[in-house]
Amino acid sequence: MAAETRCGHCGRLVLLCALLGMLWEARARQIRYSVPEETEKGYIVGNISKDLGLEPRELAEPAVRIISKGKTQLFSLSTRSGSLVTAGRIDREELCTQSAPCLLSFKVLVEDRVILYGVEVEVLDINDNAPKFEAENLVVKISEIAAPGARYPLPEAVDPDVGMNSLQSYQLSPNRHFSLHLQTGDDGTINPELVLEHTLDREEEPIHHLVLTASDGGDPRRSSTALIQVTVLDTNDNAPVFDQPVYRVKVLENVAPGTLLLTVRASDPDEGANGKVAYKFRKVNEKQSLLFHLHENTGEMTVAKSLDYEECPLYEMEIQAEDGGGLKGRAKVVIMVEDVNDNRPEVTITSLFSPVREDAPPGTVIVLFNAHDQDSGKNGQVVCSVPENPSFKLENSVDDYYRLSTAQTLDREKASSYNITVTATDRGTPSMSTEVHITLYVADINDNPPAFSQTSYSVYLPENNPRGTSIFSVTAHDPDDSENAKVTYALVENTIQGAPLSSYVSINSNTGVLYALQSFDYEQFQDLQMQVRANDNGHPPLSSNVSLTVFLLDQNDNAPKILYPSFPTDDGSTGVELAPRSAEAGYLVTKVVAVDKDSGQNAWLSYRLLKASEPGLFTVGLRSGEVRTARALLERDALKQSLVVAVQDHGQPPLSATITLTVAVADSIPDILADLGSINTPVDPDSDITLYLVVAVAVVSCIFLGFVLVLLALRLRRWHASHLLQATTSGLTGVPPSHIVDVHGVQAFLQTYSREFSLTPDSGKSHLIFPQPNYADTLISQESCGKSEPLCNPVESKFPIDDTPLVPVSFVFPYL
């Protein structure tokens, strides 16, 4: 039960708090204090921190402050005691004149709660003013024929205090001819009158001196005196009489000085000086005497200075008419000042929350202001408005307080600031208005990633660039502000041919400039593909990527490479190509095959014949590289023809390569050997021909026998044969050059045949037996020539052709 009771109490408390929060929109909370006037500065009026539910230290914050309409700040907040204290001397009479009670109203704004508290302070009167007569010396003229009981108005004392501290009584010094009568008016004022008790005799006593004392009811009691001199006159038995006891007039506050308000008239039936009336103000304060002017003789009352309804809407005063005999009459004048719409509304900004974050939710208060008009009625009714703007809305908060709040989420990238014009217009005719310009700044948040101008970039870079070359510059724009818009660049990690991208290129994080870290080779790769990331410095940071491709432009940095015929030997020759003597013009002797690692025009090759042992016999195809006969071969044409062929690309500058071809002009290989045998070579007398030949034949026979056995047993591939031929050739190197005939270059034909080669000891010439040749393939691959085959050896082979005994040897060359 106790728990349920506590829950019930808690529920009621929550409901009460909710109701109090709703009442905030309807009216401000009212707190009332009282303070005596004339207190010293710092006088404690009340414990306002307790009444507001705040800690004393919170009063030191600028978010809690006093808002008052007056120009003078009368109160302040004490941060030490948490109290409301006086900011200086307070004079009730100066603030409220005769009004009672004297209430001073202001508001206390708690800005972080956006709550206004209404505070009223009643200023209590103290007896700090003594009654004061307008004139300390007064002359009263009384006719000697005045009958006892006649009454003569005496000057009234003015006490600005109120209540018991105001004027309470008058006393007259003792005199057997006069007494004092006090008459209380409808408004509570006490009017002293001098009453004649006994008939005067001018001849007996022409002048009487009296003392009138005015006293208030304060503690201590204060008083003042006026000296009254009574002059006894000759007979003047009629006092001036006004035509009406009260004069009322209405006047607009904007009338010009000198405007006639009214004319008072008093009549006196006496003649001469006793019938001549003079007018003057009798009961008027200092301020009123400056505003109005009364003509002494005509009784015309005019405006002396400009009137202000907001300062005083009503003036009451008395006018006295006195004849030459000293008789007086009184009348009351009431001047009602009518308001005109002469004051523009005033707008006071109490709180401005600028800048405001662009992600602030709708309904965020950005400006709290007060709008009021000193005029009255419709002239003082103020309506506030702002230009149509979907981002903001204006609401009336409490009394004449307004708040401007956001109606939707702001976007700093669309508008970084707003110039809001608040127009306050009154309902007067014609209406008057006041405009207040408010500049609202929108604080940026990091809500936009950097953006590149393109979705992808393509860059073209010539190869062989120097290290450190600037390749390209990327730029990303971030519409945010300050640090949120500061962009840094980085490369997304990647690998190119197994190496990290950072080993090829780098990027300046601040400028976005890409640099090459090494010289690029078009033949190694043709392009570099990468991702560039742009990051801003916001929290959290945002980023975006863009793809960038660097295309390498080929440079002519590779000379043509000749694939066929094989790479030249030390003497520059490549082997022997066969051209039958029966060949007609245009016969295809061989074809030069070359490649260029470059691309495009740099790899476009052309062939030309640089040098020939017999000019005009052969031609080379400009584009094909085919070596053909230019005419039919004749018997007189030499057996061995040397051709120098150049291969050149079309780069700038062009690069080239050359190769020397040896063409044997014969119908068959035996014919070649027969022709070669007829050539006598010089004999070296120092060599032992027989010994060398025997050793060579024996070595060749052994190697050939081993080759046949291995070929039959394992059926190895083509390259085994080339190794075996290399071994065979090495066996012939011991033969003296003088006994060897030149068969260099016959590999172009021998590789296409299965052939038998025999040497006989008793023959004068070598004997070769070949099947019919197959000319379908006369090109030798670069690979086979690169394996140092016997017939690719640069040393010229010499066969004995004379009567040197030889051992018969047979060679069988398989098809390669």
Side-chain angles (χ1 to χ4, degrees):
M1 286 299 290
E4 293 179 356
T5 302
R6 286 194 298 269
C7 291
H9 288 313
C10 293
R12 285 192 293 272
L13 287 175
V14 172
L15 179 60
L16 179 59
C17 292
L19 290 174
L20 290 176
M22 294 173 62
L23 288 175
W24 181 88
E25 294 293 336
R27 62 183 182 86
R29 300 179 181 178
Q30 295 292 327
I31 302 173
R32 188 162 184 171
Y33 302 103
S34 62
V35 59
E37 66 169 330
E38 302 297 335
T39 55
E40 295 180 356
K41 179 181 178 180
Y43 179 87
I44 296 177
V45 179
N47 191 348
I48 194 169
S49 62
K50 177 180 179 182
D51 296 334
L52 295 182
L54 301 173
E55 294 295 331
R57 57 181 176 80
E58 292 183 278
L59 297 182
E61 300 177 359
V64 181
R65 63 180 187 270
I66 294 175
I67 302 173
S68 63
K69 299 179 181 178
K71 298 181 180 179
T72 303
Q73 193 76 8
L74 300 176
F75 301 94
S76 62
L77 300 175
S78 173
T79 58
R80 179 181 303 176
S81 62
S83 302
L84 179 69
V85 298
T86 58
R89 187 182 71 88
I90 298 177
D91 188 352
R92 191 203 66 82
E93 288 73 24
E94 181 180 353
L95 296 174
C96 302
T97 62
Q98 296 292 320
S99 300
C102 181
L103 297 178
L104 301 179
S105 299
F106 56 91
K107 289 181 172 58
V108 175
L109 171 64
V110 181
E111 199 167 273
D112 55 353
R113 305 180 187 174
V114 196
I115 297 179
L116 287 169
Y117 294 88
V119 179
E120 285 187 352
V121 178
E122 181 182 2
V123 181
L124 302 178
D125 182 54
I126 64 172
N127 192 21
D128 58 337
N129 293 284
K132 184 178 181 181
F133 290 95
E134 184 178 0
E136 296 181 357
N137 295 293
L138 177 66
V139 177
V140 179
K141 297 178 180 180
I142 301 175
S143 176
E144 61 180 349
I145 63 172
R151 299 185 179 188
Y152 302 91
L154 296 177
E156 296 175 2
V158 178
D159 191 342
D161 294 328
V162 295
M164 292 300 297
N165 295 327
S166 64
L167 179 64
Q168 298 295 322
S169 63
Y170 291 90
Q171 290 181 347
L172 186 65
S173 60
N175 189 290
R176 67 183 184 89
H177 292 283
F178 302 96
S179 64
L180 182 64
H181 177 74
L182 301 179
Q183 184 178 0
T184 303
D186 296 336
D187 56 355
T189 59
I190 302 175
N191 300 315
E193 293 180 340
L194 185 64
V195 180
L196 182 61
E197 296 292 338
H198 301 281
T199 303
L200 298 176
D201 187 359
R202 182 179 177 280
E203 288 73 21
E204 181 180 353
E205 188 176 359
I207 296 175
H208 299 269
H209 296 281
L210 303 175
V211 176
L212 179 62
T213 303
S215 304
D216 59 23
D219 185 17
R221 184 183 299 269
R222 294 178 180 270
S223 62
S224 63
T225 59
L227 299 178
I228 301 174
Q229 178 181 315
V230 179
T231 301
V232 181
L233 302 177
D234 283 340
T235 302
N236 182 23
D237 53 354
N238 292 290
V241 177
F242 286 93
D243 54 4
Q244 59 187 67
V246 178
Y247 292 88
R248 298 180 185 272
V249 64
K250 293 182 179 179
V251 61
L252 297 176
E253 62 174 328
N254 61 348
V255 296
T259 301
L260 178 64
L261 296 179
L262 56 90
T263 301
V264 295
R265 286 186 176 87
S267 60
D268 191 328
D270 293 329
E271 293 181 357
N274 293 330
K276 186 178 181 181
V277 179
Y279 303 94
K280 63 179 179 180
F281 289 117
R282 176 178 177 274
K283 186 178 181 182
V284 63
N285 58 36
E286 184 178 356
K287 289 184 179 180
Q288 293 174 344
S289 64
L290 298 176
L291 294 175
F292 304 101
H293 177 263
L294 179 62
H295 196 279
E296 183 179 10
N297 298 321
T298 63
E300 292 179 348
M301 189 173 182
T302 58
V303 178
K305 294 180 64 176
S306 298
L307 303 179
D308 190 352
Y309 172 85
E310 289 71 38
E311 184 175 343
C312 183
L314 180 68
Y315 296 94
E316 292 184 0
M317 62 196 74
E318 286 187 0
I319 295 178
Q320 176 180 280
E322 183 177 0
D323 60 19
L327 297 179
K328 301 174 182 178
R330 290 182 301 174
K332 186 175 183 180
V333 177
V334 178
I335 301 174
M336 293 170 287
V337 181
E338 292 187 340
D339 182 45
V340 295
N341 195 22
D342 61 342
N343 289 284
R344 294 182 180 275
E346 297 179 4
V347 177
T348 304
I349 305 296
T350 57
S351 296
L352 174 60
F353 304 95
S354 178
V356 59
R357 286 171 58 92
E358 61 178 320
D359 61 346
T364 301
V365 178
I366 56 176
V367 179
L368 184 66
F369 64 91
N370 169 263
H372 64 278
D373 195 318
Q374 294 182 4
D375 294 324
S376 63
K378 287 189 176 182
N379 296 333
Q381 296 177 4
V382 180
V383 177
C384 294
S385 63
V386 294
E388 187 67 25
N389 191 325
S391 299
F392 305 100
K393 60 181 178 180
L394 183 64
E395 298 174 311
N396 183 236
S397 178
V398 179
D399 296 337
D400 50 2
Y401 280 85
Y402 292 82
R403 61 184 179 189
L404 183 65
S405 58
T406 58
Q408 62 183 17
T409 303
L410 305 178
D411 189 350
R412 193 207 65 84
E413 287 68 44
K414 293 182 179 179
S416 60
S417 63
Y418 294 89
N419 291 319
I420 305 171
T421 301
V422 177
T423 303
T425 307
D426 60 29
R427 297 183 183 274
T429 305
S431 63
M432 302 186 73
S433 62
T434 299
E435 290 186 352
V436 175
H437 301 282
I438 301 172
T439 300
L440 175 66
Y441 295 97
V442 182
D444 182 54
I445 63 169
N446 193 27
D447 57 347
N448 290 281
F452 292 92
S453 58
Q454 298 178 210
T455 56
S456 62
Y457 295 91
S458 297
V459 183
Y460 295 89
L461 177 68
E463 67 171 332
N464 302 322
N465 56 285
R467 295 182 60 184
T469 299
S470 173
I471 301 176
F472 190 63
S473 176
V474 295
T475 303
H477 173 69
D478 194 319
D480 291 324
D481 188 30
S482 188
E483 287 297 316
N484 296 332
K486 187 176 181 181
V487 179
T488 57
Y489 303 91
L491 292 175
V492 178
E493 286 298 327
N494 195 6
T495 57
I496 297 178
Q497 296 184 352
L501 176 63
S502 58
S503 64
Y504 291 95
V505 293
S506 66
I507 189 169
N508 188 306
S509 61
N510 295 322
T511 63
V513 177
L514 282 160
Y515 296 95
L517 297 181
Q518 56 180 267
S519 180
F520 298 137
D521 187 358
Y522 177 85
E523 288 69 42
Q524 183 180 0
F525 48 78
Q526 285 73 44
D527 59 71
L528 291 170
Q529 295 184 357
M530 63 196 75
Q531 292 279 332
V532 178
R533 176 179 292 117
N535 299 279
D536 59 28
N537 283 1
H539 296 283
L542 300 178
S543 64
S544 60
N545 293 353
V546 68
S547 61
L548 187 146
T549 304
V550 179
F551 294 97
L552 297 181
L553 300 178
D554 183 47
Q555 300 293 306
N556 194 26
D557 58 343
N558 290 282
K561 183 176 183 180
I562 298 175
L563 301 179
Y564 183 82
S566 60
F567 193 81
T569 57
D570 292 340
D571 62 354
S573 63
T574 60
V576 178
E577 304 293 341
L578 179 63
R581 290 189 177 273
S582 61
E584 298 296 330
Y587 176 80
L588 176 63
V589 178
T590 186
K591 183 176 182 179
V592 177
V593 180
V595 295
D596 195 317
K597 291 184 180 180
D598 295 322
S599 64
Q601 188 171 344
N602 297 328
W604 187 17
L605 304 179
S606 61
Y607 303 82
R608 61 192 177 94
L609 184 62
L610 287 181
K611 182 179 180 183
S613 57
E614 188 170 340
L617 182 58
F618 297 96
T619 61
V620 177
L622 180 65
R623 298 286 179 252
S624 63
E626 294 177 347
V627 180
R628 295 179 181 271
T629 57
R631 59 177 175 81
L633 299 178
L634 303 176
E635 290 296 331
R636 58 183 174 81
D637 293 330
L639 171 64
K640 179 179 179 182
Q641 299 288 338
S642 295
L643 307 177
V644 178
V645 178
V647 183
Q648 179 176 293
D649 59 27
H650 285 69
Q652 292 297 330
L655 301 177
S656 62
T658 61
I659 189 169
T660 302
L661 301 177
T662 300
V663 179
V665 180
D667 291 330
S668 62
I669 297 300
D671 292 342
I672 297 174
L673 297 178
D675 291 339
L676 293 175
S678 63
I679 302 175
N680 293 325
T681 59
V683 177
D684 186 0
D686 297 329
S687 61
D688 191 347
I689 299 174
T690 303
L691 178 62
Y692 290 151
L693 184 58
V694 171
V695 173
V697 170
V699 172
V700 170
S701 299
C702 295
I703 294 174
F704 179 74
L705 180 62
F707 170 76
V708 171
L709 293 176
V710 172
L711 180 65
L712 295 177
L714 302 177
R715 295 182 179 273
L716 296 177
R717 290 179 298 176
R718 186 179 303 174
W719 60 275
H720 290 124
S722 62
H723 279 286
L724 190 57
L725 289 175
Q726 180 179 0
T728 304
T729 304
S730 64
L732 296 175
T733 57
V735 179
S738 58
H739 293 81
I740 303 297
V741 296
D742 185 9
V743 293
H744 179 69
V746 298
Q747 60 168 336
F749 298 95
L750 299 182
Q751 287 180 335
T752 60
Y753 292 89
S754 174
R755 54 194 73 106
E756 180 178 332
F757 177 69
S758 62
L759 299 174
T760 58
D762 56 349
S763 88
K765 296 182 180 180
S766 300
H767 179 63
L768 293 145
I769 300 176
F770 286 87
Q772 288 298 321
N774 181 7
Y775 295 99
D777 185 10
T778 60
L779 300 180
I780 302 176
S781 66
Q782 182 180 4
E783 178 183 0
S784 60
C785 290
K787 295 178 181 179
S788 303
E789 297 183 16
L791 294 181
C792 293
N793 196 293
V795 181
E796 293 185 353
S797 299
K798 301 290 182 177
F799 295 91
I801 58 175
D802 292 330
D803 55 357
T804 304
L806 297 174
V807 179
V809 178
S810 296
F811 293 89
V812 179
F813 294 87
Y815 288 102
L816 298 180

